[in-house]
Amino acid sequence: MAIPGNGVAEQVFVGGFANFLQIYNLVITARILLSWFPQAQSIGALQPVFGITDPYLNLFRGLIPPIGGLDLSPILAFFALNAATTATAALGAEVPKSLKQFENKLKKQSSVLLK
C-alpha cells in the first residue's frame, strides 16, 4: 500500500499494519473453517491458529448468543477488523487543502471565543 506524498516511516507503519490485519483476517477465516472439524483442536500443528485467534474471538462471543448452535460472533469480529483496516487506511490519507483551511478557520474562531 503506497501512500503518495508521505514519509517512508508512515508508509511502512500504515502498510505494515494493514498487511498484518489482512493476514489476521485470513487466520480467523481458517479458524472458523477449522471449527467445522472438532478433531482439529487436537492436532498440535494447528494449536497456534487456535491460540492466536481464540482470545480475539472470545471478546465477541458473549455479545451475540448462539442461534441454533451456530456461533455468529465472528461476524462482529470481522466487522471490527474491517473497521480497523479502514481506519488504518484513513490514517495514511492526506487531508485535502479545503479541510485544512476549514480547520484553521475553526481554530481561529475557537481562540477568539476562548479569550
Side-chain angles (χ1 to χ4, degrees):
M1 166 190 268
I3 305 166
N6 292 327
V8 173
E10 187 174 358
Q11 287 185 15
V12 169
F13 174 76
V14 172
F17 194 64
N19 288 338
F20 166 76
L21 290 174
Q22 287 177 347
I23 291 169
Y24 197 64
N25 198 350
L26 289 173
V27 173
I28 288 177
T29 303
R31 165 64 174 96
I32 292 168
L33 293 175
L34 286 171
S35 70
W36 295 347
F37 305 100
Q39 68 274 17
Q41 290 186 350
S42 63
I43 298 174
L46 297 176
Q47 288 304 312
V49 173
F50 293 103
I52 291 170
T53 58
D54 279 347
Y56 178 69
L57 291 173
N58 287 339
L59 295 172
F60 301 99
R61 288 212 168 102
L63 299 176
I64 298 179
I67 299 173
L70 185 63
D71 185 16
L72 299 177
S73 60
I75 294 171
L76 283 177
F78 281 123
F79 179 74
L81 272 180
N82 187 23
T85 304
T86 303
T88 301
L91 186 71
E94 290 188 42
V95 178
K97 289 182 181 180
S98 61
L99 283 178
K100 284 183 183 179
Q101 292 170 350
F102 181 70
E103 180 183 12
N104 291 336
K105 184 178 177 182
L106 286 177
K107 283 182 184 178
K108 288 178 185 177
Q109 289 176 354
S110 65
S111 65
V112 170
L113 292 174
L114 293 175
K115 287 183 182 180

